[in-house]
Each structure stands twice: as structure tokens, then as C-alpha cells.
Amino acid sequence: MLKLLARPNLATGGAIVLIAILVAVFAPLIAPHDPITDANLMFAETAPDADFLMGTDEQGRDIFSRIVYGARIALTIGLLVELMNTIIGVALGVSAGYFGGWWDEFVQGLTNVMLAVPTIVFALALMAVLGPGILSLLIALGMTDWAYSCRISRAQVLTMKSRPFVQAARTMGYGPVHIMARELLPNIAGPLVVVATMGIGSAIMAEASLSFLGLGVVPPAPSWGSMLARAREQLIVAPWVAVFPGLAIFFTVLGFNLLGDGLRDLLDPQGRSKR
Amino acid sequence: MALVLLRRLLQAVVTVAVVITLVFLIFSVIPGDYVSSLMAEKRSLDPAVAERIAAELHLNDPVPLRLGQYLVGILHGDLGLSFATQQPVTEMLGGRIWASFKLACAAMACAIVTGLPLGYIAAARQNRWIDGLAMVFAVSGLSVPGFWFGLLLMYVFSLQLGWLPTFGYGQGGIEHLILPALTLGIAPMALLARTTRAAVLETKTADFIRTARSKGMSEGRLVRKHLARNAFMLILTMIGLQFGSMMGGSVVIESLFAWPGVGSLLIQSVGLRDIPVVQGCILVIVLFFLIVNTLVDVAYLLIDPRIRYK
């Protein structure tokens, strides 16, 4: 416990992420109202009070309850999207580093292409074609943000593949798939976990941005981003509509970023790369 | 040196061609085109009329033919006509590139002016409270959703204080530029602060700094001559990367502030499936990224003679 306190990033980030997960899991117990069906125009745009902790939106729905349920959407999409990105990035990066040659050239070229187009732009184009919805979001975001995990796993494999333990495995007659999956992957997992942790944060942010633009989660599902979609027009009369969903995004993304920073410091004790 | 540049240029051309092809394929292979989105909008659209529109826009031609014609057109500086307005895409992009570029420059200026000193101060007072505070500030800047930050700025500075206009471009004056630039600049600012801190810390412990200090060089001269010059290389990379991706990164911010740039045009045309315009916007975004990065490479060659001789 004391050790944890000596690492404020890890402790704060971990705590925030844990709270977010708990809120998502126990949403029905925490939320006082239903996030979708409890609309009542009588209570539209009520300022925060004892009944509506964070006020209500233009349809009279309780913002606090919607934020609580929104955690489910944000975390599900964040985790699944990053899982997809990591699998794609690691598969491409490890194989490129291991085999080299034309495959390496090809993967590197593809990575450069992905880096030249901002993720949000690529995702935007895909969302336009696939139509809004959670499944489209998973495809659009899960296939476009793997460049970093690809680069890192390639670089790590390059430094590892001439090490004795890899050569030993090769002498023992193991095939390339076994060597990549069982020998190399466990040894490069550390840096990948850091990248993936921060990637969850950026996936949550990307989902919020697309939903804010009306190209993500379909209303009335309580996505934090789509809750902000009409906040600009209500800013004068109901500023709380704008404030609280944004805070939820901010703290959740902050949690994953801090956790990533903390894990990096933990795995890289010299702290040279403290960025 | 010329060879390095030539190689980079070739890479850039290939990247552009691949991106164009990829986007083209995404929009042509998956069902649902401009006409079907038009029909969804206006339910009464006569199928015969729809068929004629599709024929007029050459939507029924085979995909490879259309792609070939498009790529040849690009080489002639022709990006095709917008499906929705029949206006040349180059014309539609013209004014918007300037608006986006202005916003990107202003945001980068905000980021540099605040991020650099913040990172430097943090490094100079490493592990003191001001360092901790600066880094908490930086990680927050990386975590804050830009469009929400923009909403907050709008609320405080436009609605409460009434100092600045809420959104729009106005006559192109600076008062309309400030809030979007601050919003767009917050994430690069945070990254710059972290990079600067790391770069200065890394350089500060380098051997040549110790040598310079031991031979009695004054602190001010040391910082100017050795530290700043070497740390700057790392910082420049970050500035280049950030600035290069700003055209695309501003998509959400532009539509929040109704800024008439490339990003907001992209969002409008994505909704309409106005593919020539979408293609044009993405082309501009990618070209901007590649041009900025090539310029950074050139700057490297000029600043650091070590790279030139490799």
C-alpha cells in the first residue's frame, strides 16, 4: 500500500479506472432514474437539485443516470476497440520484425499510410459508409488506430530476435508461429500494455468525438459524446448539460492516461523515458 | 542529402496514392452511394430519376475505371465535381484551406508559447512542486476532450464575460480565431510541455554538457549554445508531428465553432456521401501532413550536420 502511494500516477489512474468500471457494472444500482425511458418534459432542463443531481436535459431525462449508464458504452467500446487495435498491430508488427524482407516493407508502408491520415478522419469516412451504431464504431475505430502498437512490437522484436533464447527455440525445431507467440510475445508484453492502456483512453475519446458529431452511438442510447451533441444550443439556459458528460469523459480518459504513465514508470525503472 | 530527400518524396507520393485508392475503395465497394442517401432523404424520389442521376454522375461505371479517371484527374489538378452542388471540388476547397491553415497556425502558436516554457520550467525544477503541477496540467491537457473544452471556453468567455464571439468566422478577424485556436492548441500544448521536459532532462545529463560546465562555461551560454540546440531537435519532431496532423485533428473543433475549414466541409460531405468532396478533403489533410513532415526532415538536415554525413 505504501509502495502504491509512492507512485501517485499509478495509484490515481488505477483508482479512477476502478471507479469507472464499478460504476459501469453496478449502473442499475447507482442510477436513480432510467437513462432512456424516464423522459418527462415537465422536468426539461431542470437545474441540478436533490432529485436530479446533475440536472436534466431537454427531454427531462436525468443526466446523472445517463452518465452512469454511459460508462457502460464508453468502457465497452474503449476496451473492445483497443483489443482489436492491439491484435492487428501486434500481429503485423511482430511478423514484420520477425520475417523482415518484403513483408516488413509492406507493413511499414501501411503503417506510414495509417499515420498520415488522422484516426478520426479515417473513422469518419468508415462511419459514413457503415452508418452510425456501436458495431460500426467498433469496426471504424478498431481497425484504424494500430500504428503505434505495430511500430513498438516491430522495434521490440528486432532487438530480441537475435537473442540466445530465440535461437535456442529455433534450434529445438519450433516453427515461426510458436516462436513469435510463445517466445517473443511474452517478452515484449510490457511496453504493449502501456500503449494499450493509453489506447483505451483515446478510443473512448474518439467514440465521444464521433458521437458528438452525430456519427457514433445512435440516440437515445446514453453516450457521453452524444449527450454533448446539442449542448452548444442549450449553453445559455442549461450549462449543466454541457458540463457533466464532459467531466465524465475527461476523468475516464485521464484515468487511463495516468495508469499508462504509471505502468511505464513501473516497467522502466530508470525513468529515462519519462514523457 | 539530395538522395535522402528524393527517397522521402517518393515515399510521400506512394502514401498519397495508397490513401486515395483506399478511401475510393471504401466508398465504392461497400453498398450505399450518393443516390441511395439522396433517396433515403427524399423518399418520393422516382427510381427512374435516381437511375439518371447515377448515370450522370458515372456511378454505374466499373470501379477501376472510375478510380483510374480520378487519379489521372488529380495529376491534372482536377479533383472532380461535387455530387451535391456540381461545383469543382478544388474551388470548394480553395477558401477553406486558408481558414484551416490559419486556425492550425494560431493553435500551434498557442501551444508553443505555453507548452515550451512550461516544460522547460518543469525540467529546471525537476521533482519540485512546480514540476508536479506542470505535469498534472499536461496530462490533463491530453485527457480533456477538445470539443468539451471548447464548450467551456465558449460559456465563460462568450456567454458569461461577453468578450469574444461564440462561433463562426465573422470577417476573418482575430476575435473569432481566439477560442477555436485555444481549444485546438490544448492537446499539442500538453504534449509539447512533456516533450520539452523530457528533452531538457535528457540533454542536461549528457556528457558534453558536463564537459562544457567543467571547462567553466557560463550557465547562460551553456543553455544557449549546447542545451537548447540539442534539446530542440527532439522538440522540433514533436512540433512537426503535431502541426502536420492538425488539419485533420481540427475536424471536430471546426464543426463545434462552425469554422469554415476543410474539417467542417469533410463532415458535411461525409453525411451526404458526396464522395469527390470527401476525397478532396482527405487529400488536403494527408498532403498537409506529408509536406510538414518533409519540411521537418529538411530542417533536420540543415540544423544537425551529423545526419547529413550518414
Side-chain angles (χ1 to χ4, degrees):
Chain A
M1 198 63 212
L2 268 176
K3 262 187 185 164
L4 208 59
L5 285 180
R7 298 186 180 278
N9 282 353
L10 199 67
T12 324
I16 296 177
V17 169
L18 191 68
I19 292 172
I21 293 174
L22 288 177
V23 166
V25 170
F26 297 108
L29 301 178
I30 300 168
H33 300 269
D34 186 276
I36 297 169
T37 55
D38 275 5
N40 187 345
L41 290 178
M42 288 281 288
F43 300 122
E45 291 176 347
T46 312
D49 60 21
D51 191 26
F52 303 112
L53 283 176
M54 296 177 178
T56 66
D57 63 7
E58 76 283 358
Q59 296 186 31
R61 294 173 298 195
D62 178 37
I63 290 179
F64 176 67
S65 303
R66 285 176 67 74
I67 287 178
V68 167
Y69 274 92
R72 290 184 162 185
I73 295 180
L75 290 182
T76 312
I77 292 181
L79 289 170
L80 288 177
V81 160
E82 195 45 37
L83 187 70
M84 289 170 69
N85 280 321
T86 308
I87 291 174
I88 298 175
V90 170
L92 288 176
V94 170
S95 59
Y98 185 77
F99 291 120
W102 66 270
W103 175 245
D104 187 27
E105 293 275 325
F106 173 75
V107 170
Q108 285 214 70
L110 204 61
T111 315
N112 284 338
V113 170
M114 299 309 285
L115 285 175
V117 188
T119 305
I120 189 90
V121 172
F122 234 130
L124 208 65
L126 279 170
M127 287 309 286
V129 175
L130 300 168
I134 288 185
L135 194 66
S136 315
L137 270 173
L138 289 179
I139 297 172
L141 295 172
M143 300 201 337
T144 47
D145 201 16
W146 45 262
Y148 285 104
S149 34
C150 178
R151 281 209 158 166
I152 287 194
S153 33
R154 178 179 172 274
Q156 293 278 325
V157 166
L158 282 182
T159 65
M160 292 263 173
K161 74 173 177 184
S162 53
R163 291 269 200 86
F165 72 93
V166 180
Q167 283 170 346
R170 208 173 289 147
T171 338
M172 280 154 74
Y174 286 123
V177 176
H178 177 99
I179 294 177
M180 285 189 279
R182 304 295 293 272
E183 307 291 336
L184 288 170
L185 198 57
N187 280 290
I188 64 169
L192 285 174
V193 169
V194 174
V195 173
T197 309
M198 294 186 171
I200 297 173
S202 35
I204 291 174
M205 188 92 97
E207 181 272 310
S209 306
L210 287 174
S211 298
F212 171 74
L213 294 171
L215 286 161
V217 175
V218 191
S223 151
W224 294 337
S226 51
M227 291 172 74
L228 288 168
R230 300 190 46 210
R232 193 182 75 182
E233 281 65 42
Q234 296 165 267
L235 209 49
I236 297 181
V237 279
W240 54 88
V241 175
V243 172
F244 295 110
L247 277 177
I249 306 171
F250 171 61
F251 276 112
T252 312
V253 177
L254 183 71
F256 281 104
N257 279 339
L258 286 174
L259 190 62
D261 277 349
L263 287 173
R264 192 200 337 249
D265 297 345
L266 196 70
L267 294 166
D268 181 17
Q270 290 110 6
R272 261 193 70 228
S273 52
K274 255 191 160 182
R275 301 192 175 163
Chain B
M1 180 170 170
L3 210 71
V4 178
L5 273 182
L6 205 68
R7 207 183 129 82
R8 294 286 311 186
L9 218 60
L10 202 71
Q11 265 178 5
V13 171
V14 172
T15 307
V16 171
V18 172
V19 170
I20 293 293
T21 313
L22 216 60
V23 176
F24 198 92
L25 289 180
I26 289 177
F27 277 99
S28 6
V29 171
I30 303 173
D33 54 20
Y34 174 65
V35 176
S36 62
S37 80
L38 209 62
M39 285 183 79
E41 215 171 276
K42 301 173 190 153
R43 286 178 198 290
S44 56
L45 196 64
D46 188 341
V49 176
E51 196 51 46
R52 237 193 72 196
I53 295 177
E56 266 172 24
L57 299 175
H58 300 289
L59 288 178
N60 298 329
D61 293 359
V63 173
L65 180 69
R66 277 193 288 151
L67 177 61
Q69 281 169 344
Y70 185 71
L71 288 176
V72 170
I74 289 180
L75 294 178
H76 292 107
D78 174 18
L79 294 176
L81 302 178
S82 155
F83 285 169
T85 62
Q86 289 298 308
Q87 225 183 329
V89 173
T90 40
E91 219 169 81
M92 295 174 78
L93 282 170
R96 288 179 174 259
I97 293 178
W98 169 240
S100 280
F101 183 68
K102 201 164 87 169
L103 179 57
C105 289
M108 205 63 229
C110 290
I112 292 174
V113 168
T114 48
L116 271 184
L118 200 67
Y120 185 77
I121 293 169
R125 302 264 181 281
Q126 193 192 359
N127 295 333
R128 307 273 187 79
W129 66 269
I130 193 157
D131 179 24
L133 195 71
M135 287 306 107
V136 166
F137 191 60
V139 77
S140 306
L142 282 180
S143 311
V144 70
F147 56 94
W148 179 64
F149 185 65
L151 278 172
L152 294 187
L153 288 180
M154 219 183 253
Y155 183 70
V156 174
F157 292 101
S158 308
L159 298 180
Q160 292 302 310
L161 298 170
W163 290 353
L164 296 163
T166 42
F167 52 83
Y169 191 68
Q171 301 299 313
I174 192 155
E175 69 277 7
H176 281 88
L177 186 62
I178 295 174
L179 289 187
L182 281 175
T183 310
L184 189 58
I186 183 89
M189 181 276 279
L191 267 174
L192 259 183
R194 291 177 82 155
T195 312
T196 306
R197 176 177 180 274
V200 170
L201 284 182
E202 202 157 306
T203 321
K204 218 162 73 171
T205 51
D207 288 339
F208 62 87
I209 295 286
R210 198 157 11 120
T211 312
R213 190 170 281 138
S214 62
K215 77 180 184 193
M217 189 183 256
S218 74
E219 271 311 294
R221 200 176 146 80
L222 187 89
V223 167
R224 275 197 316 276
K225 276 273 174 191
H226 291 287
L227 211 151
R229 215 179 152 138
N230 279 282
F232 186 66
M233 297 296 290
L234 293 166
I235 297 164
L236 185 68
T237 314
M238 186 50 78
I239 292 182
L241 272 176
Q242 288 303 306
F243 190 58
S245 51
M246 223 166 218
M247 271 275 179
S250 64
V251 169
V252 187
I253 308 299
E254 278 186 12
S255 75
L256 170 70
F257 283 99
W259 190 261
V262 178
S264 48
L265 181 66
L266 175 66
I267 292 193
Q268 283 167 27
S269 25
V270 151
L272 291 169
R273 283 167 191 270
D274 195 342
I275 298 156
V277 184
V278 173
Q279 289 267 28
C281 293
I282 295 183
L283 184 67
V284 168
I285 289 167
V286 173
L287 273 181
F288 186 71
F289 177 86
L290 292 171
I291 290 172
V292 169
N293 278 287
T294 311
L295 288 180
V296 170
D297 284 346
V298 174
Y300 271 161
L301 293 173
L302 295 178
I303 297 173
D304 193 341
R306 281 171 303 186
I307 302 172
R308 238 176 288 165
Y309 296 119
K310 256 181 196 163

